[in-house]
Amino acid sequence: MTMKKNKDTSKEKMAKIGDCFTETRHVVIYGYTRQELSKVIRHFEAQLPEFVKITVENTHLVTNITLTGMNTGVELLRFQMNRYHNNLNSIFTSDVVAMEDKTVAEVLGGLLHERELTVACAESCTGGNLAHRITQVPGSSAYFLGSVVSYSNDVKARVLCVSRSDISTYGAVSKEVVEQMAKGVTELMRSDCAIATSGIAGPDGGTPLKPVGTVWIAVKYGETVVSECLHFRGDRNSVIESATNHGMVMLINLLRNSYILQEEVNDD
């Protein structure tokens, strides 16, 4: 398997080189490391004919799998490419973020725009990275209202109305606090949706119960609020980027009615 960055942003691309036609297909999935992914698609990769090549780009648990086919018969090529494209979708099922070459932020933005919904963020450990990633998408002003970077507990309490008692009892990195952050920012910004993060990005600040890489993430859509406790690996930047991706994917799944509740976590 080769790792390659592909910047083609079309759903499928056809071109002709000499007597051969070429077509590409993309599948974007979330939640796999490179090692895990290699094991999952090993059999699929072995079944590909010589005229279909596979490349994989994996960054902070987001993977873009690109299939590139080249053949003299355009109809046969298209049939085969659609077949392998659908096979990949079947392999990963609920882990699929997109069946075309899009970033997670583009997929989230598309859903919000189509449904005429708005989103706001309440960020602690991600320090504004969610807002940065969302606003990298052209047209995001139609659905993104803003972000509160509530790095200090005082800002969490004063601006987002998080209970000071809960911060003292459960800690800033907790289910109780991150869910109140999500609720607070929707009230403040009057948004339909919210993503909130609070965690320990490192390299310092961890404890035996909440080591570096521990992040609580909450998302809100309408009256529904869900939260998860994650333990990300890597340096500070990796934790921030992984938490950013995870928060956006959580909201994507909630909007698609495909969100699966995490088992109850006891982080006391």
Side-chain angles (χ1 to χ4, degrees), residues 28-98:
V28 180
I29 62 172
Y30 176 77
Y32 291 82
T33 65
R34 294 186 183 188
Q35 293 76 16
E36 292 168 341
L37 188 67
S38 179
K39 294 177 182 178
V40 173
I41 67 171
R42 187 178 300 161
H43 178 70
F44 171 82
E45 192 174 4
Q47 301 302 310
L48 291 176
E50 289 186 4
F51 64 85
V52 179
K53 305 301 180 185
I54 182 171
T55 57
V56 178
E57 177 193 356
N58 179 282
T59 308
H60 306 301
L61 301 178
V62 176
T63 302
N64 189 329
I65 304 174
T66 303
L67 298 176
T68 304
M70 181 178 291
N71 203 293
T72 55
V74 63
E75 294 301 329
L76 175 62
L77 176 62
R78 183 168 292 144
F79 173 80
Q80 293 283 38
M81 292 297 287
N82 287 340
R83 172 190 170 195
Y84 294 122
H85 196 210
N86 290 330
N87 285 350
L88 277 176
N89 184 41
S90 298
I91 290 171
F92 294 105
T93 57
S94 61
D95 301 315
V96 173
V97 176

Side-chain angles (χ1 to χ4, degrees), residues 112-230:
L112 293 168
H113 188 267
E114 289 167 10
R115 303 181 186 197
E116 299 183 342
L117 298 172
T118 56
V119 66
C121 300
E123 305 185 59
S124 187
C125 65
T126 48
N129 197 51
L130 268 164
H132 169 65
R133 291 277 297 281
I134 291 172
T135 56
Q136 281 184 311
V137 179
S140 53
S141 59
Y143 50 82
F144 182 69
L145 300 185
S147 178
V148 175
V149 182
S150 53
Y151 220 62
S152 76
N153 289 339
D154 189 52
V155 172
K156 290 180 179 70
R158 286 192 299 107
V159 179
L160 298 176
C161 298
V162 176
S163 163
R164 292 184 186 273
S165 175
D166 284 349
I167 294 175
S168 177
T169 302
Y170 303 107
V173 183
S174 64
K175 174 186 178 74
E176 291 77 10
V177 168
V178 80
E179 289 190 356
Q180 289 177 58
M181 288 170 64
K183 294 174 183 177
V185 81
T186 57
E187 289 292 326
L188 180 68
M189 305 254 183
R190 298 184 179 180
S191 63
D192 301 300
C193 308
I195 307 174
T197 63
S198 186
I200 306 163
D204 303 314
T207 67
L209 290 178
K210 296 179 182 179
V212 169
T214 302
V215 181
W216 271 97
I217 303 174
V219 298
K220 184 177 185 294
Y221 171 38
E223 298 303 313
T224 302
V225 181
V226 295
S227 59
E228 296 183 9
C229 182
L230 292 308

